[in-house]
Amino acid sequence: MAEYICLLNKDTTVIKPAKKTPILLRMIVLMFAMVCGVYICSVCLKQTSIHSKIKFQDIQVVERLSPDDDHGNLQISSVHYPNPETFSRAECAHNPVRYFAILSMQRSGSGWFETLLNSHVNVSSNGEIFSVLDRRRNISSITRTLDKVYNLDWFTSASKNECSAAVGFKWMLNQGVMQHHKEISDYFNRRGVFAIFLFRRNLLRRMVSVLANSYDRHAKLLNGTHKSHVHSTEEAKTLAKYKPMINSTLLISDLKEVEITAAKALEYFNSTRHIVLYYEDLIKNPAKLKDVQAFLGLPLMELMSRQVKIHKGPLSDHVKNWEDVNKTLNGTAYESFLQADY
Ligand SMILES: *[C@@H]1O[C@H](CO)[C@@H](O)[C@H](O)[C@H]1NC(C)=O
Ligand SMILES: *[C@@H]1O[C@H](CO)[C@@H](O)[C@H](O)[C@H]1NC(C)=O
Ligand SMILES: *[C@@H]1O[C@H](CO)[C@@H](O)[C@H](O)[C@H]1NC(C)=O
Ligand SMILES: *[C@@H]1O[C@H](CO)[C@@H](O)[C@H](O)[C@H]1NC(C)=O
Ligand SMILES: *[C@@H]1O[C@H](CO)[C@@H](O)[C@H](O)[C@H]1NC(C)=O
Ligand SMILES: *[C@@H]1O[C@H](CO)[C@@H](O)[C@H](O)[C@H]1NC(C)=O
Ligand SMILES: *[C@@H]1O[C@H](CO)[C@@H](O)[C@H](O)[C@H]1NC(C)=O
């Protein structure tokens, strides 16, 4: 703008010698300079007021994200209002959108949980988008991917329509979350992304599931296709036939490591608005799903999933060297993992 004005002034001085009335011209130049001055001042004033508005909004965001707030205070403010490039928001243009991310670990029920969420007519949870290495190679590719999701420009089979009231995806902690936690939690706080932590209480059952799933990746027990999730009891039985060996030497340290990772994740994101869920609680108490819907500010609905649990019944049925495992955990902090039957 300044350059533009200077050019205009130059033009006037160029014109000057042609005119024969210097006083009148001087008056014109003076007037012009005054008008410009007023204009520049008004532009400056406008910018300062924009700056102060942005600051004010930032402060609001920080306050709203305080984890101490109770559920009653949940407000989806206009800060969450999407600014999509390609997503048509014609019908529900004025519905606010909540951004969320399901932070979890492999074999902790997040696939099942996501199908539950996606059974809600107003939720678009876009799957494990950071399973693709290129999207999490560095923080700038992570940010770019997140922007695309939260600008409602990410399309998957889960993308509903313009009436999504909550948009997110699931993110495994080992897919760059722990590595770039600082930048990611800053991003979450800046854009108002809510974190849904989903963990498993019984880490021994999780370990069995991890081992069985990794075995099936090669063995492909179901007709030569690898399946991480199944939709029928027959398929579940076939997958559960395989009984993994658990290395008892490393068992305790492995369990501890998973426990520490979960605790660290909670600490890293302690300034982000979040809810902590446990797979076992969701299984035992479906009312927990209401908490999730309230957390996301959704109209309450019955949520459903067609997925069938793979490892059912006592764990001793699913581990080859059970006696060994029993002995290793007996008398330790993890002893309860041996009994729990879900
Ligand atoms: C980040 O990763 C992307 C995708 O792999 C790559 O194109 C880009 O050059 C990387 N940027 C930096 C700063 O390393
Ligand atoms: C939920 O989806 C329905 C159907 O698409 C739509 O009519 C309604 O406005 C949506 N509600 C919210 C809160 O977005
Ligand atoms: C397994 O493969 C056979 C032959 O290709 C097919 O007839 C059958 O439907 C398949 N079963 C499942 C569960 O996909
Ligand atoms: C268990 O892990 C340890 C350390 O990696 C290894 O030395 C040992 O051979 C493993 N035991 C079995 C039964 O695989
Ligand atoms: C979050 O964790 C950090 C340590 O990583 C701690 O200093 C801080 O007090 C915690 N904040 C809250 C609100 O718990
Ligand atoms: C479990 O530990 C108790 C003592 O803590 C011991 O008496 C018992 O024999 C142990 N059981 C097994 C299977 O090792
Ligand atoms: C562990 O071993 C002890 C002793 O053999 C047995 O009494 C107990 O039932 C076993 N626990 C489980 C969960 O199998």
PDB file of all heavy atoms in Angstrom, residues 104-109 197-210 258-259 262 277-281 283 309 311 315 337 342:
ATOM      1  N   SER A 104      -4.705 -43.506  20.948  1.00  0.00           N
ATOM      2  CA  SER A 104      -4.792 -44.856  21.489  1.00  0.00           C
ATOM      3  C   SER A 104      -3.558 -45.670  21.114  1.00  0.00           C
ATOM      4  O   SER A 104      -2.587 -45.117  20.584  1.00  0.00           O
ATOM      5  CB  SER A 104      -6.064 -45.518  20.957  1.00  0.00           C
ATOM      6  OG  SER A 104      -6.284 -46.761  21.574  1.00  0.00           O
ATOM      7  N   MET A 105      -3.602 -46.955  21.432  1.00  0.00           N
ATOM      8  CA  MET A 105      -2.508 -47.855  21.054  1.00  0.00           C
ATOM      9  C   MET A 105      -3.110 -49.009  20.268  1.00  0.00           C
ATOM     10  O   MET A 105      -4.295 -49.301  20.401  1.00  0.00           O
ATOM     11  CB  MET A 105      -1.842 -48.417  22.304  1.00  0.00           C
ATOM     12  CG  MET A 105      -1.235 -47.375  23.199  1.00  0.00           C
ATOM     13  SD  MET A 105      -0.259 -48.220  24.445  1.00  0.00           S
ATOM     14  CE  MET A 105      -0.191 -46.969  25.691  1.00  0.00           C
ATOM     15  N   GLN A 106      -2.271 -49.692  19.522  1.00  0.00           N
ATOM     16  CA  GLN A 106      -2.754 -50.833  18.750  1.00  0.00           C
ATOM     17  C   GLN A 106      -3.430 -51.835  19.686  1.00  0.00           C
ATOM     18  O   GLN A 106      -2.978 -52.023  20.818  1.00  0.00           O
ATOM     19  CB  GLN A 106      -1.594 -51.512  18.020  1.00  0.00           C
ATOM     20  CG  GLN A 106      -1.156 -50.817  16.750  1.00  0.00           C
ATOM     21  CD  GLN A 106      -0.241 -49.619  17.006  1.00  0.00           C
ATOM     22  OE1 GLN A 106       0.147 -49.363  18.135  1.00  0.00           O
ATOM     23  NE2 GLN A 106       0.104 -48.889  15.956  1.00  0.00           N
ATOM     24  N   ARG A 107      -4.456 -52.490  19.206  1.00  0.00           N
ATOM     25  CA  ARG A 107      -5.173 -53.550  19.920  1.00  0.00           C
ATOM     26  C   ARG A 107      -5.710 -53.081  21.271  1.00  0.00           C
ATOM     27  O   ARG A 107      -5.587 -53.757  22.286  1.00  0.00           O
ATOM     28  CB  ARG A 107      -4.282 -54.795  20.134  1.00  0.00           C
ATOM     29  CG  ARG A 107      -3.539 -55.278  18.910  1.00  0.00           C
ATOM     30  CD  ARG A 107      -4.351 -55.384  17.672  1.00  0.00           C
ATOM     31  NE  ARG A 107      -5.408 -56.400  17.715  1.00  0.00           N
ATOM     32  CZ  ARG A 107      -6.289 -56.603  16.736  1.00  0.00           C
ATOM     33  NH1 ARG A 107      -6.249 -55.864  15.646  1.00  0.00           N
ATOM     34  NH2 ARG A 107      -7.202 -57.520  16.853  1.00  0.00           N
ATOM     35  N   SER A 108      -6.288 -51.894  21.274  1.00  0.00           N
ATOM     36  CA  SER A 108      -6.898 -51.393  22.511  1.00  0.00           C
ATOM     37  C   SER A 108      -8.374 -51.092  22.310  1.00  0.00           C
ATOM     38  O   SER A 108      -8.987 -50.408  23.120  1.00  0.00           O
ATOM     39  CB  SER A 108      -6.178 -50.141  22.998  1.00  0.00           C
ATOM     40  OG  SER A 108      -4.833 -50.426  23.262  1.00  0.00           O
ATOM     41  N   GLY A 109      -8.912 -51.567  21.219  1.00  0.00           N
ATOM     42  CA  GLY A 109     -10.348 -51.376  20.980  1.00  0.00           C
ATOM     43  C   GLY A 109     -10.676 -50.116  20.209  1.00  0.00           C
ATOM     44  O   GLY A 109     -11.844 -49.762  20.083  1.00  0.00           O
ATOM     45  N   PHE A 197      -8.647 -40.170  24.880  1.00  0.00           N
ATOM     46  CA  PHE A 197      -7.680 -41.240  25.120  1.00  0.00           C
ATOM     47  C   PHE A 197      -8.429 -42.547  25.304  1.00  0.00           C
ATOM     48  O   PHE A 197      -9.380 -42.612  26.082  1.00  0.00           O
ATOM     49  CB  PHE A 197      -6.861 -40.942  26.376  1.00  0.00           C
ATOM     50  CG  PHE A 197      -5.838 -39.878  26.165  1.00  0.00           C
ATOM     51  CD1 PHE A 197      -6.087 -38.572  26.543  1.00  0.00           C
ATOM     52  CD2 PHE A 197      -4.625 -40.178  25.559  1.00  0.00           C
ATOM     53  CE1 PHE A 197      -5.142 -37.584  26.329  1.00  0.00           C
ATOM     54  CE2 PHE A 197      -3.682 -39.192  25.341  1.00  0.00           C
ATOM     55  CZ  PHE A 197      -3.937 -37.899  25.728  1.00  0.00           C
ATOM     56  N   LEU A 198      -8.003 -43.549  24.581  1.00  0.00           N
ATOM     57  CA  LEU A 198      -8.622 -44.855  24.744  1.00  0.00           C
ATOM     58  C   LEU A 198      -7.530 -45.868  25.056  1.00  0.00           C
ATOM     59  O   LEU A 198      -6.660 -46.138  24.229  1.00  0.00           O
ATOM     60  CB  LEU A 198      -9.374 -45.265  23.469  1.00  0.00           C
ATOM     61  CG  LEU A 198     -10.007 -46.652  23.519  1.00  0.00           C
ATOM     62  CD1 LEU A 198     -11.037 -46.774  24.633  1.00  0.00           C
ATOM     63  CD2 LEU A 198     -10.665 -46.990  22.189  1.00  0.00           C
ATOM     64  N   PHE A 199      -7.563 -46.389  26.293  1.00  0.00           N
ATOM     65  CA  PHE A 199      -6.565 -47.367  26.702  1.00  0.00           C
ATOM     66  C   PHE A 199      -7.247 -48.655  27.125  1.00  0.00           C
ATOM     67  O   PHE A 199      -8.458 -48.710  27.296  1.00  0.00           O
ATOM     68  CB  PHE A 199      -5.740 -46.830  27.872  1.00  0.00           C
ATOM     69  CG  PHE A 199      -4.929 -45.620  27.530  1.00  0.00           C
ATOM     70  CD1 PHE A 199      -5.015 -44.464  28.301  1.00  0.00           C
ATOM     71  CD2 PHE A 199      -4.075 -45.625  26.436  1.00  0.00           C
ATOM     72  CE1 PHE A 199      -4.269 -43.347  27.984  1.00  0.00           C
ATOM     73  CE2 PHE A 199      -3.320 -44.500  26.118  1.00  0.00           C
ATOM     74  CZ  PHE A 199      -3.415 -43.365  26.897  1.00  0.00           C
ATOM     75  N   ARG A 200      -6.404 -49.644  27.317  1.00  0.00           N
ATOM     76  CA  ARG A 200      -6.896 -50.914  27.804  1.00  0.00           C
ATOM     77  C   ARG A 200      -6.357 -51.100  29.213  1.00  0.00           C
ATOM     78  O   ARG A 200      -5.185 -50.817  29.464  1.00  0.00           O
ATOM     79  CB  ARG A 200      -6.368 -52.012  26.882  1.00  0.00           C
ATOM     80  CG  ARG A 200      -7.239 -53.213  26.880  1.00  0.00           C
ATOM     81  CD  ARG A 200      -6.997 -54.032  25.654  1.00  0.00           C
ATOM     82  NE  ARG A 200      -7.640 -55.326  25.851  1.00  0.00           N
ATOM     83  CZ  ARG A 200      -7.929 -56.148  24.870  1.00  0.00           C
ATOM     84  NH1 ARG A 200      -7.634 -55.821  23.640  1.00  0.00           N
ATOM     85  NH2 ARG A 200      -8.506 -57.294  25.116  1.00  0.00           N
ATOM     86  N   ARG A 201      -7.233 -51.539  30.111  1.00  0.00           N
ATOM     87  CA  ARG A 201      -6.755 -51.758  31.481  1.00  0.00           C
ATOM     88  C   ARG A 201      -5.897 -53.010  31.540  1.00  0.00           C
ATOM     89  O   ARG A 201      -4.820 -53.015  32.128  1.00  0.00           O
ATOM     90  CB  ARG A 201      -7.942 -51.914  32.433  1.00  0.00           C
ATOM     91  CG  ARG A 201      -8.655 -50.620  32.708  1.00  0.00           C
ATOM     92  CD  ARG A 201      -9.663 -50.812  33.835  1.00  0.00           C
ATOM     93  NE  ARG A 201     -10.561 -49.658  33.930  1.00  0.00           N
ATOM     94  CZ  ARG A 201     -10.278 -48.534  34.550  1.00  0.00           C
ATOM     95  NH1 ARG A 201      -9.093 -48.381  35.126  1.00  0.00           N
ATOM     96  NH2 ARG A 201     -11.145 -47.543  34.586  1.00  0.00           N
ATOM     97  N   ASN A 202      -6.406 -54.088  30.925  1.00  0.00           N
ATOM     98  CA  ASN A 202      -5.674 -55.346  30.994  1.00  0.00           C
ATOM     99  C   ASN A 202      -4.644 -55.429  29.873  1.00  0.00           C
ATOM    100  O   ASN A 202      -4.925 -55.843  28.747  1.00  0.00           O
ATOM    101  CB  ASN A 202      -6.635 -56.525  30.921  1.00  0.00           C
ATOM    102  CG  ASN A 202      -5.939 -57.828  31.281  1.00  0.00           C
ATOM    103  OD1 ASN A 202      -4.730 -57.969  31.076  1.00  0.00           O
ATOM    104  ND2 ASN A 202      -6.693 -58.776  31.808  1.00  0.00           N
ATOM    105  N   LEU A 203      -3.436 -55.049  30.203  1.00  0.00           N
ATOM    106  CA  LEU A 203      -2.389 -54.969  29.185  1.00  0.00           C
ATOM    107  C   LEU A 203      -1.899 -56.347  28.756  1.00  0.00           C
ATOM    108  O   LEU A 203      -1.277 -56.488  27.700  1.00  0.00           O
ATOM    109  CB  LEU A 203      -1.229 -54.126  29.712  1.00  0.00           C
ATOM    110  CG  LEU A 203      -1.621 -52.695  30.092  1.00  0.00           C
ATOM    111  CD1 LEU A 203      -0.436 -51.938  30.663  1.00  0.00           C
ATOM    112  CD2 LEU A 203      -2.196 -51.955  28.891  1.00  0.00           C
ATOM    113  N   LEU A 204      -2.179 -57.362  29.571  1.00  0.00           N
ATOM    114  CA  LEU A 204      -1.804 -58.719  29.177  1.00  0.00           C
ATOM    115  C   LEU A 204      -2.715 -59.204  28.049  1.00  0.00           C
ATOM    116  O   LEU A 204      -2.252 -59.802  27.072  1.00  0.00           O
ATOM    117  CB  LEU A 204      -1.912 -59.659  30.384  1.00  0.00           C
ATOM    118  CG  LEU A 204      -1.479 -61.110  30.137  1.00  0.00           C
ATOM    119  CD1 LEU A 204      -0.022 -61.190  29.700  1.00  0.00           C
ATOM    120  CD2 LEU A 204      -1.706 -61.950  31.391  1.00  0.00           C
ATOM    121  N   ARG A 205      -3.998 -58.896  28.154  1.00  0.00           N
ATOM    122  CA  ARG A 205      -4.926 -59.256  27.085  1.00  0.00           C
ATOM    123  C   ARG A 205      -4.552 -58.494  25.809  1.00  0.00           C
ATOM    124  O   ARG A 205      -4.635 -59.018  24.710  1.00  0.00           O
ATOM    125  CB  ARG A 205      -6.370 -58.947  27.479  1.00  0.00           C
ATOM    126  CG  ARG A 205      -6.924 -59.890  28.514  1.00  0.00           C
ATOM    127  CD  ARG A 205      -8.442 -59.851  28.574  1.00  0.00           C
ATOM    128  NE  ARG A 205      -9.057 -60.722  27.591  1.00  0.00           N
ATOM    129  CZ  ARG A 205      -9.582 -61.920  27.864  1.00  0.00           C
ATOM    130  NH1 ARG A 205      -9.575 -62.385  29.087  1.00  0.00           N
ATOM    131  NH2 ARG A 205     -10.125 -62.634  26.909  1.00  0.00           N
ATOM    132  N   ARG A 206      -4.143 -57.261  25.988  1.00  0.00           N
ATOM    133  CA  ARG A 206      -3.724 -56.492  24.828  1.00  0.00           C
ATOM    134  C   ARG A 206      -2.517 -57.168  24.167  1.00  0.00           C
ATOM    135  O   ARG A 206      -2.450 -57.282  22.953  1.00  0.00           O
ATOM    136  CB  ARG A 206      -3.369 -55.065  25.245  1.00  0.00           C
ATOM    137  CG  ARG A 206      -2.788 -54.253  24.119  1.00  0.00           C
ATOM    138  CD  ARG A 206      -2.398 -52.844  24.511  1.00  0.00           C
ATOM    139  NE  ARG A 206      -1.796 -52.193  23.357  1.00  0.00           N
ATOM    140  CZ  ARG A 206      -0.498 -52.246  23.066  1.00  0.00           C
ATOM    141  NH1 ARG A 206       0.340 -52.872  23.875  1.00  0.00           N
ATOM    142  NH2 ARG A 206      -0.033 -51.675  21.980  1.00  0.00           N
ATOM    143  N   MET A 207      -1.597 -57.622  25.009  1.00  0.00           N
ATOM    144  CA  MET A 207      -0.396 -58.258  24.471  1.00  0.00           C
ATOM    145  C   MET A 207      -0.755 -59.511  23.672  1.00  0.00           C
ATOM    146  O   MET A 207      -0.202 -59.745  22.585  1.00  0.00           O
ATOM    147  CB  MET A 207       0.538 -58.621  25.625  1.00  0.00           C
ATOM    148  CG  MET A 207       1.871 -59.146  25.177  1.00  0.00           C
ATOM    149  SD  MET A 207       2.882 -59.588  26.590  1.00  0.00           S
ATOM    150  CE  MET A 207       3.638 -58.039  26.967  1.00  0.00           C
ATOM    151  N   VAL A 208      -1.695 -60.293  24.182  1.00  0.00           N
ATOM    152  CA  VAL A 208      -2.141 -61.486  23.462  1.00  0.00           C
ATOM    153  C   VAL A 208      -2.704 -61.085  22.103  1.00  0.00           C
ATOM    154  O   VAL A 208      -2.411 -61.691  21.068  1.00  0.00           O
ATOM    155  CB  VAL A 208      -3.197 -62.258  24.292  1.00  0.00           C
ATOM    156  CG1 VAL A 208      -3.864 -63.330  23.447  1.00  0.00           C
ATOM    157  CG2 VAL A 208      -2.561 -62.860  25.527  1.00  0.00           C
ATOM    158  N   SER A 209      -3.494 -60.018  22.101  1.00  0.00           N
ATOM    159  CA  SER A 209      -4.100 -59.550  20.862  1.00  0.00           C
ATOM    160  C   SER A 209      -3.039 -59.051  19.878  1.00  0.00           C
ATOM    161  O   SER A 209      -3.122 -59.321  18.677  1.00  0.00           O
ATOM    162  CB  SER A 209      -5.102 -58.439  21.186  1.00  0.00           C
ATOM    163  OG  SER A 209      -5.761 -58.032  20.028  1.00  0.00           O
ATOM    164  N   VAL A 210      -2.046 -58.357  20.394  1.00  0.00           N
ATOM    165  CA  VAL A 210      -0.958 -57.864  19.532  1.00  0.00           C
ATOM    166  C   VAL A 210      -0.232 -59.034  18.886  1.00  0.00           C
ATOM    167  O   VAL A 210       0.003 -59.048  17.674  1.00  0.00           O
ATOM    168  CB  VAL A 210       0.041 -57.000  20.352  1.00  0.00           C
ATOM    169  CG1 VAL A 210       1.310 -56.741  19.560  1.00  0.00           C
ATOM    170  CG2 VAL A 210      -0.602 -55.703  20.780  1.00  0.00           C
ATOM    171  N   VAL A 258       4.423 -50.271  28.296  1.00  0.00           N
ATOM    172  CA  VAL A 258       3.138 -49.819  27.760  1.00  0.00           C
ATOM    173  C   VAL A 258       2.457 -48.887  28.768  1.00  0.00           C
ATOM    174  O   VAL A 258       1.908 -47.846  28.403  1.00  0.00           O
ATOM    175  CB  VAL A 258       2.226 -51.027  27.440  1.00  0.00           C
ATOM    176  CG1 VAL A 258       0.856 -50.558  27.000  1.00  0.00           C
ATOM    177  CG2 VAL A 258       2.863 -51.892  26.371  1.00  0.00           C
ATOM    178  N   GLU A 259       2.542 -49.286  30.032  1.00  0.00           N
ATOM    179  CA  GLU A 259       1.937 -48.484  31.089  1.00  0.00           C
ATOM    180  C   GLU A 259       2.549 -47.083  31.143  1.00  0.00           C
ATOM    181  O   GLU A 259       1.852 -46.077  31.234  1.00  0.00           O
ATOM    182  CB  GLU A 259       2.195 -49.195  32.422  1.00  0.00           C
ATOM    183  CG  GLU A 259       1.148 -49.001  33.465  1.00  0.00           C
ATOM    184  CD  GLU A 259       1.437 -49.916  34.655  1.00  0.00           C
ATOM    185  OE1 GLU A 259       2.595 -49.997  35.112  1.00  0.00           O
ATOM    186  OE2 GLU A 259       0.495 -50.561  35.112  1.00  0.00           O
ATOM    187  N   ALA A 262       1.438 -44.820  28.221  1.00  0.00           N
ATOM    188  CA  ALA A 262       0.108 -44.244  28.430  1.00  0.00           C
ATOM    189  C   ALA A 262       0.169 -43.082  29.426  1.00  0.00           C
ATOM    190  O   ALA A 262      -0.423 -42.021  29.198  1.00  0.00           O
ATOM    191  CB  ALA A 262      -0.851 -45.315  28.925  1.00  0.00           C
ATOM    192  N   LEU A 277     -10.733 -42.915  28.372  1.00  0.00           N
ATOM    193  CA  LEU A 277     -11.658 -44.049  28.339  1.00  0.00           C
ATOM    194  C   LEU A 277     -10.864 -45.342  28.414  1.00  0.00           C
ATOM    195  O   LEU A 277      -9.729 -45.409  27.940  1.00  0.00           O
ATOM    196  CB  LEU A 277     -12.450 -44.045  27.032  1.00  0.00           C
ATOM    197  CG  LEU A 277     -13.296 -42.818  26.728  1.00  0.00           C
ATOM    198  CD1 LEU A 277     -13.825 -42.913  25.312  1.00  0.00           C
ATOM    199  CD2 LEU A 277     -14.432 -42.687  27.721  1.00  0.00           C
ATOM    200  N   TYR A 278     -11.486 -46.354  28.993  1.00  0.00           N
ATOM    201  CA  TYR A 278     -10.888 -47.673  28.992  1.00  0.00           C
ATOM    202  C   TYR A 278     -11.808 -48.640  28.274  1.00  0.00           C
ATOM    203  O   TYR A 278     -13.024 -48.633  28.497  1.00  0.00           O
ATOM    204  CB  TYR A 278     -10.596 -48.138  30.424  1.00  0.00           C
ATOM    205  CG  TYR A 278      -9.472 -47.357  31.056  1.00  0.00           C
ATOM    206  CD1 TYR A 278      -9.744 -46.254  31.856  1.00  0.00           C
ATOM    207  CD2 TYR A 278      -8.151 -47.689  30.800  1.00  0.00           C
ATOM    208  CE1 TYR A 278      -8.709 -45.507  32.412  1.00  0.00           C
ATOM    209  CE2 TYR A 278      -7.111 -46.955  31.351  1.00  0.00           C
ATOM    210  CZ  TYR A 278      -7.397 -45.868  32.150  1.00  0.00           C
ATOM    211  OH  TYR A 278      -6.379 -45.129  32.671  1.00  0.00           O
ATOM    212  N   TYR A 279     -11.193 -49.417  27.422  1.00  0.00           N
ATOM    213  CA  TYR A 279     -11.928 -50.398  26.623  1.00  0.00           C
ATOM    214  C   TYR A 279     -12.849 -51.248  27.498  1.00  0.00           C
ATOM    215  O   TYR A 279     -14.026 -51.429  27.192  1.00  0.00           O
ATOM    216  CB  TYR A 279     -10.890 -51.260  25.905  1.00  0.00           C
ATOM    217  CG  TYR A 279     -11.421 -52.474  25.205  1.00  0.00           C
ATOM    218  CD1 TYR A 279     -12.134 -52.355  24.026  1.00  0.00           C
ATOM    219  CD2 TYR A 279     -11.181 -53.751  25.726  1.00  0.00           C
ATOM    220  CE1 TYR A 279     -12.607 -53.481  23.372  1.00  0.00           C
ATOM    221  CE2 TYR A 279     -11.644 -54.881  25.074  1.00  0.00           C
ATOM    222  CZ  TYR A 279     -12.363 -54.734  23.906  1.00  0.00           C
ATOM    223  OH  TYR A 279     -12.826 -55.841  23.262  1.00  0.00           O
ATOM    224  N   GLU A 280     -12.304 -51.744  28.603  1.00  0.00           N
ATOM    225  CA  GLU A 280     -13.084 -52.628  29.472  1.00  0.00           C
ATOM    226  C   GLU A 280     -14.326 -51.920  30.012  1.00  0.00           C
ATOM    227  O   GLU A 280     -15.396 -52.527  30.110  1.00  0.00           O
ATOM    228  CB  GLU A 280     -12.216 -53.112  30.647  1.00  0.00           C
ATOM    229  CG  GLU A 280     -11.165 -54.152  30.269  1.00  0.00           C
ATOM    230  CD  GLU A 280      -9.862 -53.514  29.783  1.00  0.00           C
ATOM    231  OE1 GLU A 280      -9.829 -52.283  29.558  1.00  0.00           O
ATOM    232  OE2 GLU A 280      -8.871 -54.246  29.612  1.00  0.00           O
ATOM    233  N   ASP A 281     -14.183 -50.645  30.341  1.00  0.00           N
ATOM    234  CA  ASP A 281     -15.326 -49.889  30.873  1.00  0.00           C
ATOM    235  C   ASP A 281     -16.403 -49.725  29.807  1.00  0.00           C
ATOM    236  O   ASP A 281     -17.596 -49.810  30.102  1.00  0.00           O
ATOM    237  CB  ASP A 281     -14.885 -48.504  31.356  1.00  0.00           C
ATOM    238  CG  ASP A 281     -13.835 -48.603  32.451  1.00  0.00           C
ATOM    239  OD1 ASP A 281     -13.574 -49.734  32.911  1.00  0.00           O
ATOM    240  OD2 ASP A 281     -13.273 -47.559  32.826  1.00  0.00           O
ATOM    241  N   ILE A 283     -16.979 -51.756  27.353  1.00  0.00           N
ATOM    242  CA  ILE A 283     -17.621 -53.059  27.146  1.00  0.00           C
ATOM    243  C   ILE A 283     -18.638 -53.313  28.257  1.00  0.00           C
ATOM    244  O   ILE A 283     -19.764 -53.731  28.004  1.00  0.00           O
ATOM    245  CB  ILE A 283     -16.555 -54.178  27.183  1.00  0.00           C
ATOM    246  CG1 ILE A 283     -15.632 -54.047  25.987  1.00  0.00           C
ATOM    247  CG2 ILE A 283     -17.217 -55.547  27.286  1.00  0.00           C
ATOM    248  CD1 ILE A 283     -15.722 -55.129  24.970  1.00  0.00           C
ATOM    249  N   LYS A 309     -15.876 -59.421  19.092  1.00  0.00           N
ATOM    250  CA  LYS A 309     -14.657 -59.572  19.885  1.00  0.00           C
ATOM    251  C   LYS A 309     -13.959 -60.884  19.539  1.00  0.00           C
ATOM    252  O   LYS A 309     -14.603 -61.918  19.381  1.00  0.00           O
ATOM    253  CB  LYS A 309     -15.057 -59.557  21.362  1.00  0.00           C
ATOM    254  CG  LYS A 309     -13.906 -59.438  22.308  1.00  0.00           C
ATOM    255  CD  LYS A 309     -14.419 -59.057  23.697  1.00  0.00           C
ATOM    256  CE  LYS A 309     -13.368 -59.344  24.755  1.00  0.00           C
ATOM    257  NZ  LYS A 309     -12.051 -58.812  24.424  1.00  0.00           N
ATOM    258  N   HIS A 311     -10.888 -62.425  21.151  1.00  0.00           N
ATOM    259  CA  HIS A 311     -10.464 -63.292  22.258  1.00  0.00           C
ATOM    260  C   HIS A 311     -11.456 -63.198  23.411  1.00  0.00           C
ATOM    261  O   HIS A 311     -11.445 -62.222  24.159  1.00  0.00           O
ATOM    262  CB  HIS A 311      -9.061 -62.912  22.725  1.00  0.00           C
ATOM    263  CG  HIS A 311      -8.015 -63.214  21.699  1.00  0.00           C
ATOM    264  ND1 HIS A 311      -7.485 -62.244  20.889  1.00  0.00           N
ATOM    265  CD2 HIS A 311      -7.431 -64.380  21.324  1.00  0.00           C
ATOM    266  CE1 HIS A 311      -6.599 -62.800  20.061  1.00  0.00           C
ATOM    267  NE2 HIS A 311      -6.553 -64.092  20.307  1.00  0.00           N
ATOM    268  N   LEU A 315      -8.176 -65.846  29.786  1.00  0.00           N
ATOM    269  CA  LEU A 315      -6.943 -65.689  29.014  1.00  0.00           C
ATOM    270  C   LEU A 315      -6.152 -66.981  28.924  1.00  0.00           C
ATOM    271  O   LEU A 315      -5.436 -67.213  27.957  1.00  0.00           O
ATOM    272  CB  LEU A 315      -6.068 -64.612  29.675  1.00  0.00           C
ATOM    273  CG  LEU A 315      -5.953 -63.278  28.967  1.00  0.00           C
ATOM    274  CD1 LEU A 315      -4.869 -62.451  29.635  1.00  0.00           C
ATOM    275  CD2 LEU A 315      -5.635 -63.447  27.493  1.00  0.00           C
ATOM    276  N   PHE A 337      -4.135 -58.975  36.027  1.00  0.00           N
ATOM    277  CA  PHE A 337      -4.321 -59.204  34.595  1.00  0.00           C
ATOM    278  C   PHE A 337      -4.622 -60.669  34.291  1.00  0.00           C
ATOM    279  O   PHE A 337      -5.197 -61.008  33.272  1.00  0.00           O
ATOM    280  CB  PHE A 337      -3.067 -58.808  33.802  1.00  0.00           C
ATOM    281  CG  PHE A 337      -2.788 -57.327  33.787  1.00  0.00           C
ATOM    282  CD1 PHE A 337      -1.576 -56.858  33.318  1.00  0.00           C
ATOM    283  CD2 PHE A 337      -3.736 -56.417  34.234  1.00  0.00           C
ATOM    284  CE1 PHE A 337      -1.305 -55.499  33.288  1.00  0.00           C
ATOM    285  CE2 PHE A 337      -3.477 -55.054  34.209  1.00  0.00           C
ATOM    286  CZ  PHE A 337      -2.251 -54.597  33.740  1.00  0.00           C
ATOM    287  N   TYR A 342     -12.484 -60.442  30.388  1.00  0.00           N
ATOM    288  CA  TYR A 342     -13.241 -59.739  29.352  1.00  0.00           C
ATOM    289  C   TYR A 342     -12.350 -59.507  28.153  1.00  0.00           C
ATOM    290  O   TYR A 342     -11.153 -59.759  28.217  1.00  0.00           O
ATOM    291  CB  TYR A 342     -13.783 -58.398  29.851  1.00  0.00           C
ATOM    292  CG  TYR A 342     -12.916 -57.678  30.831  1.00  0.00           C
ATOM    293  CD1 TYR A 342     -11.709 -57.108  30.425  1.00  0.00           C
ATOM    294  CD2 TYR A 342     -13.262 -57.583  32.174  1.00  0.00           C
ATOM    295  CE1 TYR A 342     -10.904 -56.469  31.331  1.00  0.00           C
ATOM    296  CE2 TYR A 342     -12.455 -56.934  33.076  1.00  0.00           C
ATOM    297  CZ  TYR A 342     -11.285 -56.394  32.656  1.00  0.00           C
ATOM    298  OH  TYR A 342     -10.470 -55.757  33.565  1.00  0.00           O
TER     299      TYR A 342
END
